[in-house]
Amino acid sequence: MARADYTGRGEGTRAVMPDLGQSEALRVPKTAEIVADRIRKRIISGELAEGASLPPEGQLMEQFGISRPTLREAFRILEAERLISVSRGSRSGARVSQPQVSGVSRYASFVLQANEVTVPDIFEARLAIELFAVRRLSRRGGKAAVKPLRLEVDRLEALDRAGDTRGFIAALTEFHEHLVEQGGNRTLHFMIQMLHELMDEVKLRLIRRDAEGRVAESTTALKSLRKLLDLIEAGDGEAAAKHWRLHLINANKSWAYDGSLRDILAD
């Protein structure tokens, strides 16, 4: 069989490169990026656990066939992604850090602020996620499904009695997270965690502006949480969703702020 190349020259035949349209310059990844990608995959897969030390630099250089500057550039990439932490001058070298929601939440905050997203917009997103979770959790029903959530409400009541406003807000955030977590959708649980890190900060900024009435509202909120859990336990998904929708809308109105995230977080 005659051989051909893609320059148009061949032994006995001529091969013509098909016209793929406008030419594009392909970017070849740097060696450091390839090394970082291989280490990243090992961290994400769980092969490298939280807190584990990476092998010594010399061993990694030999394993990948790279120079020390290239390896350190790969480390800088992974450090920027918060997947490793490097102690300079330490014998322990680089340690693994599993991906955390906080890192995503911080960057998401920058994106949302840059796009002038409003606080009501964030509340509305939370509403959509939590109503789905409430209906899903209600289909499971039963005491076992809501037991962890009842324990969270007990903790909220203890913080309220102690007058710990900051602790109460943090625990309330955790209640919302646990509600979605118990609903069983892990992607929505991740999303609500990311949103609530933002909302925690927003609420604390608003409290500094106006602390009046925040603690007084907690008694009504706690009664509402218990009613929600009773409806979920009874398996009445529509009634639970209707109640929770009204609760969240009223709770959002109580903060009385319709400005952008950028404005409130700039204070």
Side-chain angles (χ1 to χ4, degrees):
M1 180 180 293
R3 292 185 293 108
D5 63 20
Y6 286 112
T7 64
R9 303 182 182 87
E11 296 180 5
T13 65
R14 178 187 173 100
V16 179
M17 185 71 171
D19 184 8
L20 300 179
Q22 186 175 358
S23 62
E24 297 181 11
L26 297 178
R27 178 182 175 277
V28 178
K30 296 169 65 176
T31 303
E33 293 172 336
I34 295 172
V35 172
D37 184 58
R38 292 188 182 179
I39 297 173
R40 184 189 301 113
K41 286 177 179 176
R42 293 177 65 190
I43 294 172
I44 292 172
S45 69
E47 183 182 346
L48 292 171
E50 175 78 27
S53 294
L54 291 181
E57 285 190 354
Q59 186 176 330
L60 288 171
M61 288 161 56
E62 183 177 352
Q63 177 184 339
F64 292 115
I66 57 176
S67 65
R68 180 170 277 104
T70 298
L71 178 62
R72 291 186 173 175
E73 185 179 351
F75 278 5
R76 282 193 291 272
I77 293 170
L78 295 170
E79 276 191 290
E81 296 171 349
R82 299 189 177 186
L83 292 176
I84 66 169
S85 58
V86 180
S87 300
R88 310 299 177 192
S90 171
R91 291 185 179 181
S92 60
R95 289 190 176 276
V96 172
S97 300
Q98 286 289 332
Q100 301 294 324
V101 174
S102 58
V104 180
S105 179
R106 186 167 181 267
Y107 186 75
S109 174
F110 299 153
V111 174
L112 293 171
Q113 289 181 65
N115 285 279
E116 297 187 352
V117 170
T118 64
V119 171
D121 192 272
I122 299 293
F123 274 122
E124 189 176 16
R126 185 181 76 172
L127 175 66
I129 293 171
E130 292 192 22
L131 290 184
F132 177 87
V134 163
R135 289 189 176 95
R136 198 164 191 231
L137 184 54
S138 297
R139 289 199 293 270
R140 294 165 58 190
K143 292 184 178 180
V146 299
K147 183 179 179 180
L149 296 171
R150 291 198 186 279
L151 293 175
E152 290 298 315
V153 176
D154 290 341
R155 184 160 72 97
L156 279 163
E157 286 183 336
L159 290 166
D160 185 36
R161 287 195 300 270
D164 185 353
T165 302
R166 182 179 287 271
F168 184 87
I169 288 176
L172 188 58
T173 294
E174 290 176 17
F175 175 86
H176 288 280
E177 291 176 8
H178 287 307
L179 178 65
V180 178
E181 182 180 23
Q182 289 298 110
N185 187 293
R186 297 179 71 178
T187 303
L188 290 181
H189 182 223
F190 163 76
M191 292 173 67
I192 208 71
Q193 284 179 293
M194 183 179 68
L195 290 177
H196 280 155
E197 292 225 0
L198 295 176
M199 293 315 304
D200 250 3
E201 184 62 26
V202 168
K203 288 177 181 179
L204 289 171
R205 299 290 180 97
L206 291 174
I207 283 175
R208 290 179 199 147
R209 287 184 171 191
D210 176 21
E212 295 293 329
R214 299 300 183 197
V215 178
E217 293 165 0
S218 61
T219 301
T220 302
L222 290 167
K223 288 180 180 179
S224 182
L225 299 188
R226 292 208 179 276
K227 181 178 179 180
L228 170 70
L229 299 184
D230 290 341
L231 291 170
I232 291 174
E233 187 173 319
D236 194 343
E238 286 310 307
K242 183 178 179 180
H243 168 75
W244 199 236
R245 181 177 183 277
L246 184 61
H247 170 93
L248 289 176
I249 288 174
N250 289 334
N252 296 349
K253 286 180 180 177
S254 72
W255 293 99
Y257 183 80
D258 60 2
S260 71
L261 279 173
R262 184 167 64 190
D263 291 341
I264 190 63
L265 295 177
D267 283 356

